[in-house]
Amino acid sequence: QVQLVESGGGLAQPGGSLRLSCAASGFTFSTYAMSWARQAPGKGLEWVSGIYSDGSDTVYADSVKGRFTISRDNAKNTLYLQMNSLKPEDTALYYCAKDHGPTPNWYSGVAVVYRYEYDYWGQGTQVTVSS
């Protein structure tokens, strides 16, 4: 069955960095776009970033553009999110998600997303940014 397992979360100071990973199995990873979303306490799911199935292009929410970098290694069936210049408002549970096809969902502005908009979700990894 499809499994998405996130790792790499933790505590970081403002201005610091973390790198999240998402290990995928149970499907042909290289043929599907993948995305990251996050959920802060008391808030809905917020779309963060997406990457095409072949890694040729990426899309980002305005709130993370220039600070976060999404990437993938199709040989290792792994998705990444490099997070730099972290801010306290980045504190959230971060999820990776499998898109429906080779092109990632893309949203403008601050986008609240819903679970049905993606095929599968991981269990999430907690990122806390605090001094």
Side-chain angles (χ1 to χ4, degrees), residues 6-12 18-20 36-48 63-64 67-68 81 83 86-96 110-111 113 115 121 123-130:
E6 301 95 336
S7 61
L11 176 64
L18 285 173
R19 189 194 196 200
L20 306 184
W36 288 97
R38 65 187 182 185
Q39 189 166 26
K43 296 189 176 181
L45 277 167
E46 178 191 6
W47 173 71
V48 172
S63 59
V64 306
R67 300 189 298 122
F68 290 10
L81 185 68
M83 305 186 297
L86 283 163
K87 304 176 181 180
E89 51 263 43
D90 294 320
T91 296
L93 190 59
Y94 282 72
Y95 297 93
C96 66
V110 178
V113 297
R115 290 186 172 270
W121 293 79
Q123 293 300 306
T125 185
Q126 179 66 39
V127 171
T128 302
V129 184
S130 174

